[in-house]
Amino acid sequence: MTSQIITIDGPSASGKSSVSRELARRLGWKWVSTGAFYRGLAFVAMKEDVKSSDTQGLVQLAANPVWEVRMDDDQTRVLYKKQDVTFEILAEENGTRASQISQNPEVREALLQNQRDCASYVPGLVAEGRDCGTVVFPNALLKVFLTASQEERAARRAKEQGLDVQATHDRQKERDRQDSSRAAAPLAIPKNARVVDSNGLQLSEVVDQIQGWVVEALASPNGNA
Ligand code: DC
């Protein structure tokens, strides 16, 4: 595994994707939204009539070439039967489904290697999700935990998807509770992580701060600032 990995974990709609995309663009590295693996599997399970309680069915579907995750510069895409379903997987109700199946440790295990493989062929990778620094890439060069208030996150997501702010707020609150309280790899601040509260900050300000830490980490003799 390459050591040039930066992880950015945090709750839903904390800005992880926008920050990761911009940071990767500045560094000339790849980026991946690991939520696409959970969202993709949840969406494909719905299409293939595999219930969220059917662990074996989900594990088999995780390895089924009928769907794949593709790391593009602008977006982590999901293809199902060769069709781009990225827009569909990003719907908030599919996020809820993804959060449900992500409670299952066997499902998590089934998706783990594919996430790790994202680091195989590139000079560096920015990986964002819930357990990137704790489980997927525990040896990352730099670990960041990105957060923002519940109100700001709901307002962002509602604006992005043209949804009602209050309904989005309630849904996110439930998803955060589910993601943080599950037994398997819960959302948690990784040890040695730098915490960024993005409330009231511009995207460029958040990325400037993280980029500064990357520069420090790359210059440090043991590779970790
Ligand atoms: O980051 P996101 O909203 O696209 O993630 C969707 C769901 O997938 C999230 O609610 C929980 C799950 N997930 C996870 O369990 N571990 C990750 N590393 C990424 C996402």
Side-chain angles (χ1 to χ4, degrees):
M1 201 190 294
T2 168
S3 61
Q4 302 228 104
I5 295 169
I6 296 159
T7 60
I8 302 186
D9 290 305
S12 55
S14 53
K16 302 183 300 285
S17 289
S18 312
V19 168
S20 303
R21 180 190 299 116
E22 176 58 12
L23 181 65
R25 192 191 65 75
R26 290 191 194 178
L27 295 169
W29 291 8
K30 284 279 197 187
W31 75 281
V32 65
S33 169
T34 56
F37 288 88
Y38 294 93
R39 286 177 179 270
L41 182 59
F43 177 81
V44 173
M46 180 192 64
K47 288 287 183 196
E48 301 273 326
D49 273 331
V50 174
K51 296 206 165 37
S52 36
S53 55
D54 177 3
T55 300
Q56 265 328 95
L58 289 171
V59 167
Q60 277 168 13
L61 204 52
N64 189 324
V66 72
W67 71 286
E68 64 179 294
V69 172
R70 202 175 72 195
M71 288 188 285
D72 286 359
D73 290 346
D74 64 330
Q75 191 79 271
T76 303
R77 295 188 192 284
V78 171
L79 305 184
Y80 170 56
K81 295 187 172 166
K82 309 261 184 262
Q83 299 290 314
D84 187 341
V85 293
T86 311
F87 181 76
E88 287 89 331
I89 68 149
L90 288 175
E92 197 54 36
E93 75 238 26
N94 192 55
T96 304
R97 252 183 248 125
S99 175
Q100 268 160 14
I101 65 160
S102 75
Q103 311 287 308
N104 186 327
E106 289 173 63
V107 168
R108 302 196 69 81
E109 182 62 32
L111 294 173
L112 190 55
Q113 193 53 47
N114 286 348
Q115 293 172 69
R116 289 190 172 146
D117 287 346
C118 294
S120 299
Y121 312 101
V122 294
L125 178 74
V126 182
E128 63 95 334
R130 301 292 185 295
D131 62 343
C132 291
T134 51
V135 175
V136 187
F137 299 115
N139 300 321
L141 176 71
L142 174 73
K143 300 178 185 182
V144 175
F145 191 86
L146 188 62
T147 185
S149 71
Q150 193 114 48
E151 287 67 31
E152 183 147 335
R153 293 190 286 115
R156 272 186 212 160
R157 184 53 58 88
K159 190 172 167 205
E160 208 175 84
Q161 303 204 336
L163 302 171
D164 176 69
V165 178
Q166 189 57 46
T168 308
H169 178 276
D170 296 347
R171 211 162 197 163
Q172 270 182 357
K173 203 165 165 196
E174 173 53 19
R175 187 141 76 90
D176 289 347
R177 192 198 56 72
Q178 225 169 237
D179 291 347
S180 306
S181 62
R182 69 181 177 222
L187 170 67
I189 303 180
K191 231 171 92 197
N192 304 330
R194 310 280 189 135
V195 179
V196 181
D197 183 338
S198 71
N199 267 334
L201 293 182
Q202 299 290 326
L203 172 68
S204 59
E205 294 174 303
V206 175
V207 179
D208 285 349
Q209 181 154 52
I210 299 174
Q211 194 176 6
W213 292 329
V214 176
V215 171
E216 272 174 36
L218 287 170
S220 130
N222 42 9
N224 213 328

